[in-house]
Amino acid sequence: MQLSDLRPAKNSTKRVKRVGRGHGCHVKTAGKGSKGQNSRSGGGKTPGFEGGQTPWYRRLPKFKGFRNPFKTVYTVVGLSALEECAEHKEITPDVLLKEGFVRNLNNPIKVLANGTIEKAVTVKLHKFSKTAQEAIEKAGGKIEVI
């Protein structure tokens, strides 16, 4: 047996119907019927065509504006959260995570002046609002920016 002797199994292949190639080979309309959009060259509907209704990809709202990929997103913590953690004397991101005020430590933490603080604590976090910084220092605490 030679490589040139190999043939597909009987009836396993079918000849391609050559259409539109003259008489004796499916003449005139070449199997596309007569007239209409699909009988034309390049005819047919595009993917996403919705029968003349505005397609979903054109109905969606368009993106507008600029989005800064380098923007720093802070996790916000209020003074009331620091007041609840005051028994630790030194408040760090790990303490806030353990107490449940922060979900994860992926983002830097910023302290805002939501609530009040009465106890003197050392706060070691990433950023502070001016009002929060004044309130912590007024209560006798210290601030350290990490």
Side-chain angles (χ1 to χ4, degrees):
M1 179 178 241
Q2 300 286 320
L3 194 60
S4 60
D5 294 337
L6 293 176
R7 295 277 178 264
K10 191 175 182 185
N11 297 328
S12 67
T13 59
K14 191 175 178 183
R15 289 189 70 181
V16 176
K17 184 187 280 187
R18 294 179 73 242
V19 294
R21 296 292 182 270
H23 289 282
C25 194
H26 218 63
V27 191
K28 194 182 155 212
T29 56
K32 291 181 165 222
S34 56
K35 299 186 182 177
Q37 183 177 24
N38 292 325
S39 71
R40 313 278 188 232
S41 166
K45 299 177 192 81
T46 58
F49 182 73
E50 296 185 18
Q53 173 178 303
T54 306
W56 68 269
Y57 54 83
R58 288 184 58 204
R59 289 196 305 263
L60 292 176
K62 300 297 176 274
F63 168 76
K64 290 181 182 174
F66 171 77
R67 292 200 184 149
N68 185 358
F70 307 107
K71 179 181 175 182
T72 304
V73 179
Y74 289 94
T75 302
V76 177
V77 172
L79 288 175
S80 55
L82 301 184
E83 179 73 27
E84 290 184 41
C85 299
E87 71 271 1
H88 290 283
K89 297 294 180 194
E90 189 175 278
I91 298 173
T92 61
D94 295 324
V95 171
L96 292 173
L97 181 67
K98 191 178 97 178
E99 293 291 329
F101 293 108
V102 175
R103 287 186 181 174
N104 58 49
L105 301 178
N106 296 339
N107 297 334
I109 300 169
K110 182 172 183 175
V111 179
L112 298 182
N114 299 341
T116 57
I117 188 163
E118 305 295 327
K119 299 171 185 166
V121 289
T122 303
V123 184
K124 295 181 179 181
L125 293 174
H126 302 97
K127 201 165 186 181
F128 300 87
S129 70
K130 200 175 227 182
T131 316
Q133 187 173 350
E134 290 169 1
I136 293 168
E137 289 171 350
K138 185 178 176 184
K142 292 181 184 177
I143 285 177
E144 289 183 34
V145 178
I146 305 176

